[in-house]
Amino acid sequence: AASDVYKRQVRDENYLKWAIREILNWKQKEPLDGVIHLHGDKDLTFPISLIKNCITIHGGTHALILTKYRWLNKNLIQIIESE
């Protein structure tokens, strides 16, 4: 299952080194035009309390695209068209 792939990836040493390096070197100050930010309210990696200007997905974790795929399939086109 997709969640098994995610679990293996986040335990991979190379992936973790890459992810930490990318977070520490992140330079983006302002949101990019035309970007729709979906963010889970249960994301422990990037807590929703620190996130601005997003569409909050109830029960979504950091693995939102793997765990909420049914909701995304049902709603994503409408979200894109309304933005």
Side-chain angles (χ1 to χ4, degrees):
S3 61
D4 293 333
V5 171
Y6 177 76
K7 287 176 186 175
R8 281 193 309 273
Q9 183 180 24
V10 298
R11 290 180 176 89
D12 178 82
E13 182 179 353
N14 291 324
Y15 171 79
L16 290 172
K17 285 179 182 179
W18 170 84
I20 291 167
R21 183 181 65 245
E22 293 302 309
I23 291 168
L24 293 175
N25 293 305
W26 186 259
K27 303 289 188 236
Q28 190 71 40
K29 300 288 182 193
E30 299 294 325
L32 298 173
D33 289 336
V35 172
I36 301 169
H37 183 173
L38 305 176
H39 200 90
D41 64 354
K42 302 294 184 203
D43 188 333
L44 300 178
T45 305
F46 298 105
I48 192 71
S49 62
L50 303 176
I51 304 300
K52 300 175 189 165
N53 301 321
C54 70
I55 297 171
T56 303
I57 309 303
H58 178 70
T61 66
H62 196 64
L64 172 74
I65 62 169
L66 299 174
T67 60
K68 293 293 186 177
Y69 66 90
R70 286 187 186 98
W71 186 93
L72 290 166
N73 286 340
K74 181 179 175 184
N75 296 284
L76 197 53
I77 291 174
Q78 180 182 355
I79 290 169
I80 293 168
E81 290 176 346
S82 69
E83 291 293 319

